[in-house]
Amino acid sequence: MFDIQKIRADFPILTEKVNGKPLVYLDNAATSQKPQVVIDSIVNYYTKYNANIHRGVHTLSQIATNAFEESRTKLQKHFNAKKNYEIIFTSGTTHSINMIATGFSAILNADDEVLVSTMEHHSNIVPWQMLCERTGAKLKVIPMNNEGELLLDEYKKLLSSKTKVVFVNHVSNALGTINPIKKIITEAHKYGAAVLIDGAQSSPHIKPDVQDLDVDFYVASAHKLCGPTGIGILYGKEEWLQKLPPYQGGGEMIKQVTFEKTTYADLPHKFEAGTPNISGGIAFGVAIDYLNSIGFDNIAAYENELLQYATKKLLQIEGLKIYGTSKQKTAVISFNIGNIHPYDIGAIIDKLGIAVRTGHHCAQPIMNFYNIPGTVRASFAFYNTFEEIDLLYEALLKAKMMLE
Ligand code: 7TS
């Protein structure tokens, strides 16, 4: 059912050598690799039907427009949005969050509060801090425990009628924790607060149902889902997208422009000023089709086997400590070995062909919580193998021997 060799054959990069060694790519939380069908779709667009969209009477423009809009509908179905115009194409998660945080400037005032969690990526912290600076609203933080789990009782205590937006990731990029977002959303809605879920790390592993979650905003990046960089989505409930002002002014986002007054286009175009990443939007749909052909349940089950195997194996290394030990986790292992600096480990195992990320992972508050400068992070995808985990283990033993 899950033919790993067949899957690996879909990814041309996996046969590359790095530093003379076969590539062992364990930096999937930073970005995923791309299957040939996604690469082909980009080449095909530029080779056969490159044209601007939504504006041409000519045939190529219509073909490109149809392909781009078909992709929007694929994404609507995948995330189970009620309407296809609730899917806004953006350049990625960071762009999507900035759109919403900026939009809330028009709604918040100095009496309001917004809630963030301790375990956010900087892109789900800084835009909201900027919002607070503009409006005077107050930022409050949901704490977490040592395992890297949010304290839901504390969260409930922080909620009040002053809370206007809660923004939490579904999965932490630095710890792998899967947060109980349905509960978080239900509690926030008791106070009428909107919830934005950062799905950058969960969307490659878990297929969300935005209607079932009743989430107000859900954001993700294509490049973590086997798609290209420079494209992502913002799902927003229609009522919210109607209420928020546009993020950028420009072409394609207007109904009528005079020097006295401009009226805005209907959704989704109100939020899509300018020429979008057309090939990227189309390729995002191809990537989603590809992942669905493998099946998200199959992906999650296989990756969980990888996680269990890797956790057990790495813990055999003396002095290795894992950060993020929640029972609900995706296949991410963040760790340190003794007092060795994570960068040194990363640099040595890179020479052996193994790609991991080291540092604070754009989540400094997590590092501050554990009082460490950073970690080594191995993040797995459905095209990784148990043999690659063995290679990581051997490489870590070598690095430890050299550095201790
Ligand atoms: N939110 C989370 C939870 C993320 O993990 C990332 C990227 C972002 C937002 C930003 O996504 P972007 O596509 O707009 O850049 N995370 C990582 C990472 O963990 N390593 O490199 C990028």
Side-chain angles (χ1 to χ4, degrees):
M1 201 167 78
F2 197 87
D3 185 345
I4 185 69
Q5 289 315 326
K6 187 166 170 286
I7 288 170
R8 285 179 70 81
D10 293 335
F11 292 81
I13 207 169
L14 296 180
T15 54
E16 285 295 304
K17 287 203 163 154
V18 171
N19 293 322
K21 308 275 185 203
L23 168 65
V24 175
Y25 186 76
L26 303 178
D27 195 18
N28 294 286
T31 199
S32 61
Q33 296 302 346
K34 320 304 171 198
Q36 191 65 49
V37 279
V38 168
I39 299 166
D40 287 347
S41 89
I42 297 167
V43 173
N44 196 36
Y45 165 78
Y46 284 115
T47 314
K48 304 234 172 81
Y49 63 100
N50 171 50
N52 212 330
I53 55 170
H54 297 144
R55 49 195 106 193
V57 64
H58 65 83
T59 305
L60 285 195
S61 174
Q62 284 169 17
I63 294 172
T65 302
N66 289 344
F68 191 76
E69 289 305 322
E70 266 169 31
S71 188
R72 193 192 306 277
T73 302
K74 280 181 193 173
L75 292 164
Q76 175 207 350
K77 293 204 173 117
H78 179 75
F79 292 107
N80 196 30
K82 203 186 276 179
K83 302 277 167 43
N84 69 353
Y85 53 76
E86 291 175 320
I87 301 288
I88 311 291
F89 280 112
T90 66
S91 70
T93 302
T94 303
H95 182 202
S96 303
I97 295 172
N98 275 281
M99 281 170 89
I100 299 308
T102 305
F104 267 91
S105 302
I107 292 177
L108 296 198
N109 61 50
D111 294 329
D112 294 328
E113 293 176 356
V114 298
L115 283 190
V116 66
S117 94
T118 309
M119 62 173 90
E120 298 307 307
H121 187 279
H122 295 163
S123 68
N124 203 23
I125 301 174
V126 184
W128 302 100
Q129 282 177 321
M130 291 160 72
L131 166 73
C132 289
E133 275 167 25
R134 285 191 298 271
T135 59
K138 204 163 160 211
L139 184 85
K140 293 199 160 177
V141 184
I142 309 164
M144 69 175 195
N145 63 19
N146 240 5
E147 283 71 48
E149 295 163 332
L150 293 180
L151 301 179
L152 286 188
D153 287 341
E154 297 302 315
Y155 166 58
K156 285 184 203 164
K157 284 185 211 156
L158 288 170
L159 283 167
S160 76
S161 57
K162 290 184 176 177
T163 316
K164 292 296 175 294
V165 203
V166 177
F167 30 99
V168 176
N169 57 40
H170 190 179
V171 165
S172 156
N173 70 318
L175 303 173
T177 310
I178 302 174
N179 286 313
I181 53 169
K182 195 154 184 182
K183 275 194 199 136
I184 289 171
I185 294 164
T186 307
E187 291 301 323
H189 284 172
K190 287 182 186 166
Y191 296 90
V195 180
L196 178 142
I197 296 298
D198 173 351
Q201 291 296 339
S202 55
S203 51
H205 317 283
I206 304 165
K207 183 171 175 164
D209 179 333
V210 293
Q211 288 189 75
D212 178 58
L213 288 168
D214 195 25
V215 67
D216 302 285
F217 305 103
Y218 178 96
V219 298
S221 296
H223 70 91
K224 296 197 201 275
L225 281 151
C226 295
T229 51
I231 188 84
I233 59 141
L234 158 64
Y235 159 80
K237 268 189 198 161
E238 180 175 4
E239 63 199 82
W240 273 113
L241 294 178
Q242 297 291 5
K243 203 184 296 184
L244 294 178
Y247 179 61
Q248 295 190 106
E252 289 302 301
M253 54 74 73
I254 55 89
K255 250 187 197 135
Q256 210 160 34
V257 178
T258 66
F259 286 112
E260 287 70 40
K261 188 168 169 57
T262 290
T263 50
Y264 303 131
D266 292 332
L267 295 171
H269 307 294
K270 171 181 159 188
F271 288 102
E272 293 183 355
T275 301
N277 178 352
I278 301 168
S279 67
I282 295 166
F284 193 0
V286 174
I288 286 288
D289 281 347
Y290 175 79
L291 289 172
N292 278 315
S293 75
I294 294 171
F296 276 77
D297 289 345
N298 294 334
I299 288 172
Y302 178 73
E303 287 177 347
N304 192 46
E305 281 178 37
L306 291 176
L307 174 68
Q308 300 312 327
Y309 182 79
T311 305
K312 225 166 153 185
K313 187 102 193 175
L314 296 197
L315 283 174
Q316 289 170 16
I317 298 172
E318 209 189 310
L320 186 141
K321 180 172 163 48
I322 293 178
Y323 297 90
T325 48
S326 168
K327 278 180 258 353
Q328 301 295 323
K329 260 187 87 168
T330 56
V332 169
I333 303 183
S334 240
F335 62 91
N336 280 321
I337 303 177
N339 290 323
I340 305 173
H341 199 280
Y343 176 84
D344 294 337
I345 293 175
I348 288 179
I349 69 174
D350 173 55
K351 292 283 174 286
L352 302 168
I354 300 178
V356 291
R357 186 173 172 190
T358 64
H360 55 62
H361 314 297
C362 302
Q364 284 181 353
I366 296 181
M367 303 304 140
N368 295 342
F369 175 86
Y370 290 113
N371 201 17
I372 49 174
T375 67
V376 181
R377 182 187 68 183
S379 52
F380 305 94
F382 59 92
Y383 42 72
N384 287 129
T385 63
F386 295 94
E387 291 74 31
E388 287 179 314
I389 294 168
D390 293 343
L391 289 171
L392 171 68
Y393 170 80
E394 298 296 335
L396 289 174
L397 285 182
K398 265 189 202 148
K400 179 172 147 71
M401 219 157 64
M402 288 169 73
L403 294 164
E404 258 182 2

